[in-house]
């Protein structure tokens, strides 16, 4: 009887911990509904003006270039996001599990964020409009700059 209780306790613990694994798509706290048609954000690279050996990930949107700026520092809530704009395309591969969103508090669309719907990426990435280099713009506290030279030097 004691072995049966131990086995039942272990089974219950296994079921409990199984719920802490990868979340199914439907449980995402973000709305990944794509517009019709969705924008395909093709990942390109931009070379640093001061060092040709340094390249930065870049996205094109609405005639503007967005350069990788930073990652998430803290928590990002669904209320921080606008509607999903589209998905990534890298090396001619459509990555529809990674959505691109504007920030709800950013009417000038100075930032775009990449969010993963399936657990592929570790952290969201924030891309900043290249037209804002050298300008004092409002950056939300949940964005942590990676300190790239692109943003600290004049390009």
């Amino acid at each position: 009887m004691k072995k049966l209780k131990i086995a039942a306790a272990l089974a219950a613990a296994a079921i409990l911990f199984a719920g802490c694994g990868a979340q199914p798509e439907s449980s995402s706290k973000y709305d990944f509904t794509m517009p019709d048609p969705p924008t395909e954000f093709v990942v390109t690279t931009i070379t640093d003006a001061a060092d040709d050996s340094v390249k930065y990930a870049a996205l094109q949107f609405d005639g503007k270039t967005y350069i990788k700026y930073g990652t998430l520092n803290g928590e990002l809530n669904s209320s921080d996001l606008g509607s999903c704009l589209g998905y990534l395309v890298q090396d001619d591969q459509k990555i529809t599990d990674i959505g691109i969103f504007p920030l709800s508090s950013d009417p000038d669309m100075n930032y775009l964020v990449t969010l993963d719907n399936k657990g592929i990426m570790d952290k969201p990435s924030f891309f900043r409009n290249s037209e804002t280099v050298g300008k004092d713009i409002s950056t939300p506290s949940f964005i942590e700059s990676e300190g790239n030279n692109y943003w600290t030097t004049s390009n």
Side-chain angles (χ1 to χ4, degrees):
M1 183 70 167
K2 187 173 185 177
K3 287 184 181 180
L4 182 60
K5 287 182 181 179
I6 292 172
L10 288 173
I15 291 170
L16 176 67
F17 289 123
C20 295
Q23 294 181 346
E25 182 178 342
S26 62
S27 69
S28 176
K29 69 179 183 178
Y30 308 116
D31 181 4
F32 281 85
T33 303
M34 298 276 174
D36 187 22
T39 300
E40 292 184 345
F41 288 85
V42 178
V43 178
T44 61
T45 57
I46 299 292
T47 302
D48 189 294
D51 185 350
D52 289 347
S53 68
V54 178
K55 301 199 182 305
Y56 303 106
L59 305 172
Q60 301 291 323
F61 180 67
D62 201 22
K64 298 175 183 165
T65 301
Y66 288 81
I67 310 293
K68 177 93 184 294
Y69 179 81
T71 58
L72 182 63
N73 177 24
E75 188 173 337
L76 185 66
N77 297 308
S78 60
S79 62
D80 295 321
L81 303 174
S83 297
C84 185
L85 300 170
Y87 56 86
L88 283 183
V89 176
Q90 186 169 7
D91 300 326
D92 295 323
Q93 298 293 314
K94 293 180 180 182
I95 310 171
T96 58
D97 293 335
I98 298 179
I100 313 296
F101 295 81
L103 301 178
S104 60
S105 64
D106 183 17
D108 296 325
M109 291 191 69
N110 292 319
Y111 289 99
L112 297 177
V113 60
T114 61
L115 291 173
D116 179 6
N117 196 20
K118 298 279 188 176
I120 298 168
M121 293 177 13
D122 290 333
K123 279 186 163 185
S125 292
F126 293 89
F127 288 75
R128 183 171 161 178
N129 182 347
S130 64
E131 296 172 354
T132 66
V133 169
K135 295 181 180 174
D136 186 21
I137 64 166
S138 176
T139 300
S141 61
F142 53 76
I143 298 177
E144 181 176 5
S145 170
E146 291 181 337
N148 296 339
N149 283 338
Y150 186 90
W151 298 107
T152 58
T153 60
S154 182
N155 280 296

